[in-house]
Amino acid sequence: MKQGSGLPVFPGVAIGPAVVYRKAQQEMPVACGDAAVEQKKFEDACAEAKRQLSDLFEKAKKELGEEKAAIVEVQMLMLEDLDYLESVQAEISAGAAAATAALECGESMAQIFAGLDDEYMKARAADIRDVSQRVSSILCGGGGFQLPEGNFILVAEDLAPSETIQLPREHILAFVTQQGSSSSHTAILARTLNIPSLVQSDIALEDAQNCHIFAVDGFTGTWYADPDVETLAVLKQKQDEAAAGRAALEAYRGRKSITKSGKQVLLCANIGSPKDAEAAMKGDAEGVGLMRSEFLYLGRDSLPTEEELFTAYRQVAEIMKGRPVVIRTLDIGADKQADYLNLPAEENPALGLRGLRICLTREDIFRPQLRAIYRASAYGSLSIMFPMVASVWELRRAKALCASVRRELTDQGYPLGEVPIGVMVETPAAAVQAEALALEADFFSVGTNDLTQYTLAVDRQNANLGEFYDPYHPAVLGLLGHIAKCAKAAGIWAGICGELGADPKLTETFIQMGYTELSMAPGRILETRKLVCESEV
Ligand code: PEP
Ligand code: MG
């Protein structure tokens, strides 16, 4: 048995096989100098890519049906396309490394397809890119992981949001990563999925790879590779106790969240997709306080269409059956990158072109999203919320765009619901200016993850900053009090949707400050309701 520790981000115990997720090497290998060797590497990589695609085809056929799976078949055909194979061969003969040739020839072909008039052929550009990137990634040492049968514990150096979005979530029992922080998006996903997880762990990927059984104790922050019989028995007992604790919380299902003195709060869920909305309902959420809409844009090769977005928002609205749903507009940038947007590389992405800043500079991206939200508003109770607001003019400009989209849709005859517009308060500037913003917003929701990062100038992703990332810092709590006061004075509601919203040590404090909504991972709702109902405040 080997064991070690990490920072627990969600309690619980998981036991199962470990699967190691490895990132592809970022650096392109250089040519070895022998074209025949490079050519052989390319052919082997194509064979491996075909094998992977054939697995994917079978999976897609089962889960999505034959018609959708055909996309994968098209990608497999490209690996037999003579134009592609011959152009790669020519580049290799001219001295290029196999990985570079595979990627560059794929890109040239993709550009030709992207320039065609026929919409279907145009759309094939993304498939061509996808296949050539797959071949190149295999030549770079491979990325991703082999999917086992059944459920497993995922062990990785770190996971980017664009990677987590592609994971088979229903099969993951726990995450263990070497990097990450408690407010990183891997931790947020673990909480959404209700699975015990450790970040900043001292696990060696080889130890996870070579063991038969792996276990995670999210209560103590311990991992075990091949736990011995006694340890396994203790872990299983903890699992049973946790299940009993969850069963006891069922007494709070369907109840209102009201303190003993009569203060009511709405306990809502944070979600990223229609599937998460189902988890929200299962968790007994009274609404969705934060839909991280950017997850609909990650893990893919092109922008989602207005129609795709509309379908997703409509699904969420319908699943939530009239309960309020706050959709945060696209918050891409920083750790959430979509390569196809071709945004310029930045030295300080957390302070760069992200969130509302992208939307205000790229109407071609923002308008379709707003149209989709407004169209879906006829099917439930939707609100819009803007992320990363720092100035009043930004809110005004975004609201003007909303008004213009609304007019356009009304003229086109679409039925629309009422759609309140709120500000996500997550920059110190927005917090300090809460009084002015409250006059122009219908509600506030505080993003404590970023508010802590920006107030304390501490990178939320940086695993080495540990205790310096302190959401209990008086500066952060002072801003939280100020925001609630300004909201109350303006007669608007204020909520908290950062990770602090589920912190049991602060539930009473937030209610006393005047917050009337707390939004959190679906699995935290019943325990928070118990706290609220037992509270005297
Ligand atoms: C936040 O910043 O607190 C928040 C809820 O948004 P995200 O974690 O997606 O940045
Ligand atoms: Mg944020």
Side-chain angles (χ1 to χ4, degrees):
M1 172 172 91
K2 278 192 178 167
Q3 73 179 75
S5 61
L7 181 69
V9 295
F10 197 78
V13 169
I15 303 167
V19 169
V20 173
Y21 178 90
R22 289 176 195 274
K23 284 183 198 301
Q25 275 176 27
Q26 296 299 312
E27 304 226 329
M28 283 283 180
V30 288
C32 69
D34 183 339
V37 172
E38 291 295 324
Q39 179 64 25
K40 170 83 171 65
K41 281 194 215 163
F42 172 68
E43 284 161 14
D44 289 348
C46 284
E48 170 59 16
K50 262 189 220 161
R51 200 198 51 71
Q52 290 178 3
L53 286 168
S54 147
D55 285 355
L56 202 63
F57 177 69
E58 289 308 321
K59 189 166 179 270
K61 208 161 65 174
K62 250 192 249 152
E63 290 174 11
L64 304 169
E66 195 121 4
E67 201 182 322
K68 291 235 164 69
I71 296 175
V72 183
E73 230 175 1
V74 172
Q75 294 198 353
M76 284 160 79
L77 286 177
M78 178 181 158
L79 290 169
E80 287 163 16
D81 182 284
L82 279 183
D83 283 344
Y84 177 63
L85 298 178
E86 282 169 7
S87 61
V88 172
Q89 193 169 21
E91 276 218 21
I92 288 176
S93 304
T100 314
L103 199 63
E104 286 181 354
C105 294
E107 186 53 35
S108 312
M109 260 180 99
Q111 279 179 13
I112 294 172
F113 274 70
L116 298 175
D117 286 337
D118 183 294
E119 282 307 312
Y120 176 80
M121 297 307 266
K122 233 190 200 20
R124 298 287 67 76
D127 293 326
I128 294 168
R129 256 189 210 112
D130 202 29
V131 177
S132 55
Q133 278 168 3
R134 183 182 291 273
V135 174
S136 179
S137 155
I138 292 168
L139 286 160
C140 286
F145 55 102
Q146 292 288 319
L147 270 190
E149 287 286 314
N151 299 339
F152 58 91
I153 295 169
L154 191 66
V155 182
E157 183 190 334
D158 199 10
L159 290 164
S162 57
E163 290 167 321
T164 57
I165 196 80
Q166 302 186 59
L167 298 172
R169 297 157 168 230
E170 59 286 3
H171 292 301
I172 300 178
L173 301 169
F175 288 119
V176 177
T177 61
Q178 294 172 329
Q179 294 172 20
S181 66
S182 66
S183 66
S184 64
H185 284 92
T186 307
I188 290 171
L189 178 65
R191 293 187 196 110
T192 305
L193 297 180
N194 258 334
I195 53 176
S197 293
L198 312 182
V199 294
Q200 297 172 25
S201 75
D202 51 9
I203 180 86
L205 297 184
E206 287 65 37
D207 286 339
Q209 186 116 44
N210 297 333
C211 71
H212 297 290
I213 293 203
F214 195 79
V216 178
D217 183 340
F219 296 105
T220 59
T222 316
W223 59 263
Y224 303 90
D226 286 328
D228 56 34
V229 181
E230 294 79 30
T231 308
L232 261 184
V234 172
L235 290 173
K236 285 197 170 130
Q237 191 183 341
K238 279 192 180 184
Q239 255 180 340
D240 292 345
E241 283 165 9
R246 278 196 302 277
L249 286 175
E250 286 301 311
Y252 289 88
R253 185 175 291 281
R255 281 176 62 175
K256 288 204 163 114
S257 314
I258 305 183
T259 66
K260 292 209 164 124
S261 71
K263 290 196 181 74
Q264 183 169 359
V265 283
L266 215 57
L267 297 184
C268 295
N270 292 347
I271 67 167
S273 67
K275 214 167 183 181
D276 292 349
E278 284 163 15
M281 289 300 275
K282 238 165 103 188
D284 205 28
E286 296 168 64
V288 167
L290 169 66
M291 174 167 183
R292 290 184 162 95
S293 71
E294 59 278 5
F295 280 90
L296 301 174
Y297 293 72
L298 298 178
R300 45 185 298 148
D301 298 317
S302 57
L303 271 173
T305 61
E306 176 185 322
E307 225 41 49
E308 279 177 85
L309 295 172
F310 162 69
T311 305
Y313 301 144
R314 177 180 169 168
Q315 276 173 354
V316 171
E318 289 179 340
I319 292 167
M320 295 310 295
K321 295 189 168 46
R323 293 176 170 94
V325 173
V326 177
I327 300 181
R328 169 176 78 185
T329 55
L330 187 61
D331 187 20
I332 220 105
D335 61 323
K336 289 175 275 191
Q337 293 292 342
D339 291 344
Y340 58 83
L341 292 179
N342 291 322
L343 296 169
E346 298 178 311
E347 287 228 349
N348 293 306
L351 304 180
L353 193 60
R354 59 167 296 194
L356 189 60
R357 298 168 194 173
I358 292 185
C359 294
L360 291 180
T361 45
R362 292 283 304 268
E363 270 190 47
D364 59 316
I365 299 174
F366 199 27
R367 275 189 94 91
Q369 175 171 44
L370 291 177
R371 279 181 59 92
I373 299 174
Y374 275 105
R375 283 176 55 197
S377 69
Y379 300 89
S381 173
L382 300 188
S383 301
I384 288 176
M385 174 162 78
F386 303 126
M388 290 297 295
V389 172
S391 308
V392 177
W393 70 262
E394 294 167 350
L395 173 61
R396 287 194 187 136
R397 199 182 296 170
K399 278 179 73 178
L401 265 166
C402 287
S404 140
V405 164
R406 209 187 160 97
R407 270 194 306 276
E408 182 178 83
L409 289 168
T410 309
D411 290 348
Q412 291 171 348
Y414 285 103
L416 308 178
E418 239 192 77
V419 184
I421 296 177
V423 168
M424 181 147 188
V425 184
E426 55 183 343
T427 64
V432 170
Q433 284 193 295
E435 195 177 349
L437 287 168
L439 298 178
E440 312 209 16
D442 296 319
F443 63 91
F444 282 161
S445 183
V446 187
T448 50
N449 308 336
D450 277 319
L451 188 61
T452 305
Q453 151 165 274
Y454 294 122
T455 303
L456 305 181
V458 173
D459 180 357
R460 65 190 261 192
Q461 299 291 120
N462 188 332
N464 299 324
L465 290 172
E467 62 183 330
F468 296 104
Y469 183 90
D470 174 18
Y472 303 111
H473 193 291
V476 178
L477 294 180
L479 288 176
L480 276 158
H482 175 70
I483 297 161
K485 213 161 85 193
C486 295
K488 195 166 175 208
I492 63 171
W493 66 265
I496 296 181
C497 63
E499 294 306 294
L500 220 50
D503 189 324
K505 293 197 274 306
L506 288 172
T507 308
E508 284 198 342
T509 308
F510 291 151
I511 296 173
Q512 269 166 330
M513 281 179 175
Y515 287 96
T516 55
E517 186 239 35
L518 299 174
S519 195
M520 59 197 70
R524 306 295 299 270
I525 286 170
L526 289 180
E527 65 186 80
T528 309
R529 183 169 299 142
K530 177 174 189 283
L531 263 179
V532 172
C533 292
E534 287 173 351
S535 163
E536 305 281 346
V537 301

